[in-house]
Amino acid sequence: GNHGRMSRKPRAKQRVRTNFDWLLSKMVERHFSGDARVSFQIPESADCLISIYEHHHLLTHGDQVNGGGGIGGIYPPIMRLRARKAQHHLAIGSQFSTLWLGHWHQYLSTPSLIINGSLKGYDEYAKVSNFGFEPPQQALAIVTPERGLTVQAPVFCADLKKEKW
């Protein structure tokens, strides 16, 4: 992703290894190395293809998308990215059904695309960038063996003391 990178500009070579997110993931993986109940898939590429019950998911940060500020919003550039990634995976003999993105700090979901919300929620950056307000939220999806991706919903993150729970 772009938040943990160690350089000012995004890199192509060593993109993953020069990111604090990757380093933190490797540290957590090492911590759990003796626990057979926990497994990790930490790729050396910007994308991660995983399968859950034969439903293939492609996870990517989403900072490879350009545009999204016009009248059409984020859909046209994200759908172009999805089409390009699908074409690439078809050419190398793999495929995915659902593309997962972060980066955009807003929750959106369709059967073929899930954009994660922002755990941080609305902040100064979102305000000065004129982004729409969204409460802190993360994407949730349930995948079943029989039907694949069946349920998609936001999980709202709350401050228990502030909301007096």
Side-chain angles (χ1 to χ4, degrees), residues 26-69:
K26 295 303 274 185
M27 291 168 67
V28 173
E29 178 185 46
R30 185 175 63 190
H31 176 79
F32 285 101
S33 64
D35 192 334
R37 300 170 299 167
V38 181
S39 65
F40 290 82
Q41 183 176 343
I42 306 170
E44 295 287 327
S45 68
D47 297 342
C48 180
L49 186 64
I50 62 171
S51 295
I52 303 171
Y53 300 124
E54 304 303 317
H55 187 90
H56 306 289
H57 305 265
L58 182 66
L59 289 69
T60 192
H61 181 77
D63 59 339
Q64 299 165 1
V65 176
N66 294 315

Side-chain angles (χ1 to χ4, degrees), residues 47 58 82-94 96:
D47 297 342
L58 182 66
R82 190 186 190 294
R84 288 179 186 139
K85 288 194 178 289
Q87 185 177 17
H88 167 77
H89 279 272
L90 188 61
I92 64 171
S94 68
F96 63 91

Side-chain angles (χ1 to χ4, degrees), residues 13-150:
K13 288 187 182 281
Q14 296 292 312
R15 177 184 175 102
V16 174
R17 284 188 174 246
T18 57
N19 191 296
F20 287 112
D21 298 339
W22 178 84
L23 178 61
L24 181 61
S25 298
K26 295 303 274 185
M27 291 168 67
V28 173
E29 178 185 46
R30 185 175 63 190
H31 176 79
F32 285 101
S33 64
D35 192 334
R37 300 170 299 167
V38 181
S39 65
F40 290 82
Q41 183 176 343
I42 306 170
E44 295 287 327
S45 68
D47 297 342
C48 180
L49 186 64
I50 62 171
S51 295
I52 303 171
Y53 300 124
E54 304 303 317
H55 187 90
H56 306 289
H57 305 265
L58 182 66
L59 289 69
T60 192
H61 181 77
D63 59 339
Q64 299 165 1
V65 176
N66 294 315
I71 297 296
I74 65 174
Y75 284 106
I78 288 175
M79 294 314 289
R80 280 192 299 274
L81 174 77
R82 190 186 190 294
R84 288 179 186 139
K85 288 194 178 289
Q87 185 177 17
H88 167 77
H89 279 272
L90 188 61
I92 64 171
S94 68
Q95 63 180 355
F96 63 91
S97 301
T98 306
L99 176 64
W100 291 75
L101 301 170
H103 184 67
W104 292 90
H105 294 242
Q106 65 184 81
Y107 171 77
L108 294 169
S109 70
T110 72
S112 64
L113 174 70
I114 298 174
I115 303 172
N116 198 21
S118 171
L119 185 61
K120 184 177 182 184
Y122 199 75
D123 63 4
E124 297 85 359
Y125 179 75
K127 184 174 181 179
V128 299
S129 300
N130 295 309
F131 296 158
F133 175 82
E134 281 200 2
Q137 58 188 312
Q138 296 285 275
L140 167 72
I142 297 175
V143 181
T144 66
E146 301 82 16
R147 303 217 185 263
L149 191 61
T150 57

